[in-house]
């Protein structure tokens, strides 16, 4: 029986994309792509998701790439401008799940510094019964430890829980932990998948 639905945040509940800042800054999508793949890439960003202070991450990367110091600092200073809208259809889906009696949780790879700068801007976060933010725990998905933190903190049973993430590796890690992992491709497809799952529970 499914009792708990756990959501990733970025690209599942809300839109986050550094291109919103750097395409305009460089005036060229290709230049922004190179900067975001070679300098301020996702591997570097993950260090802050894992709890490294942004100032430290910026200082370390600027020491390696002093010619990009201004742009690296911009990544930190204009971080909130990288946020887009809520992912279409997701507030309505999460609310309907909560209204049906399911418990709703969040499990995100996100810097604690930056998450709390934007969380109040998105009503969907107010629907959560609990959340785990990697930057506060100093561990990131797909490490099994972060799933254990969520399960233990809220007293959840893995087999009664579903986890939705846009990253297949994170969904697979949840499944390996005993939680049913679903790869997110959009609100409508997710609604259909969850309807099938929840209907199967009732038979």
């Amino acid at each position: 029986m499914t009792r708990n639905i756990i959501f990733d945040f970025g690209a599942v509940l809300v839109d986050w994309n550094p291109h919103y800042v750097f395409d305009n800054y460089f005036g060229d999508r290709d230049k922004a792509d190179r900067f975001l793949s070679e300098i301020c890439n996702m591997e570097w960003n993950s260090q802050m998701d894992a709890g490294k202070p942004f100032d430290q991450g910026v200082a370390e990367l600027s020491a390696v790439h002093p010619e990009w110091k201004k742009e690296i600092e911009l990544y930190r200073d204009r971080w909130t401008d990288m946020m887009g809208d809520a992912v279409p259809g997701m507030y309505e889906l999460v609310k309907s799940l909560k209204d049906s009696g399911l418990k709703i949780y969040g499990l995100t790879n996100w810097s604690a510094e930056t998450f709390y700068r934007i969380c109040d801007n998105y009503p969907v976060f107010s629907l959560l019964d609990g959340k785990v933010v990697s930057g506060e725990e100093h561990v990131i998905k797909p490490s099994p430890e972060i799933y254990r933190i969520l399960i233990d903190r809220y007293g959840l049973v893995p087999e009664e829980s579903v986890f939705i993430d846009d990253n297949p590796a994170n969904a697979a890690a949840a499944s390996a932990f005993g939680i049913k992992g679903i790869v997110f491709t959009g609100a409508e497809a997710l609604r259909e998948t969850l309807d099938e799952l929840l209907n199967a529970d009732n038979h």
Side-chain angles (χ1 to χ4, degrees):
M1 176 69 73
T2 302
R3 302 182 189 279
N4 315 298
I5 311 291
I6 308 159
F7 290 93
D8 176 36
F9 292 170
V12 175
L13 297 183
V14 296
D15 182 23
W16 171 81
N17 194 329
H19 278 282
Y20 293 149
V21 168
F22 287 101
D23 284 6
N24 289 332
Y25 177 81
F26 289 114
D28 184 314
R29 173 84 184 195
D30 289 341
K31 288 181 180 177
D33 268 335
R34 286 197 296 275
F35 176 75
L36 293 170
S37 63
E38 298 172 10
I39 310 299
C40 287
N41 55 31
M42 288 301 102
E43 182 180 3
W44 175 73
N45 186 79
S46 291
Q47 297 175 28
M48 274 59 73
D49 287 350
K52 178 179 285 187
F54 243 101
D55 286 350
Q56 180 183 344
V58 166
E60 291 172 353
L61 192 62
S62 296
V64 177
H65 299 287
E67 71 279 16
W68 292 107
K69 183 174 186 290
K70 178 182 176 185
E71 289 77 12
I72 295 166
E73 290 175 347
L74 190 72
Y75 190 102
R76 173 197 60 202
D77 296 341
R78 290 195 56 199
W79 196 93
T80 55
D81 294 330
M82 298 177 191
M83 296 300 303
D85 296 328
V87 172
M90 287 304 292
Y91 176 86
E92 293 80 7
L93 175 55
V94 175
K95 189 171 189 311
S96 70
L97 293 167
K98 188 176 179 71
D99 288 347
S100 75
L102 292 161
K103 292 292 189 178
I104 307 296
Y105 298 93
L107 178 60
T108 184
N109 284 354
W110 207 308
S111 159
E113 290 178 68
T114 53
F115 176 69
Y116 290 104
R117 285 161 59 184
I118 60 88
C119 62
D120 290 341
N121 299 340
Y122 297 91
V124 69
F125 292 131
S126 69
L127 299 174
L128 300 177
D129 293 296
K131 64 182 179 297
V132 168
V133 177
S134 65
E136 294 180 312
E137 311 300 335
H138 297 266
V139 60
I140 60 175
K141 297 174 291 183
S143 169
E145 178 60 23
I146 196 165
Y147 301 90
R148 182 173 300 283
I149 289 169
L150 177 78
I151 292 296
D152 289 351
R153 181 167 299 163
Y154 297 107
L156 309 184
V157 177
E159 292 74 19
E160 295 177 349
S161 306
V162 175
F163 175 59
I164 296 108
D165 198 300
D166 63 303
N167 185 329
N170 296 340
S175 294
F177 195 83
I179 301 165
K180 181 175 179 56
I182 295 174
V183 178
F184 181 77
T185 59
E188 283 310 308
L190 177 60
R191 185 184 291 275
E192 292 177 10
T193 299
L194 290 175
D195 282 348
E196 291 177 11
L197 179 66
L198 296 170
N199 286 334
D201 283 347
N202 295 325
H203 290 89

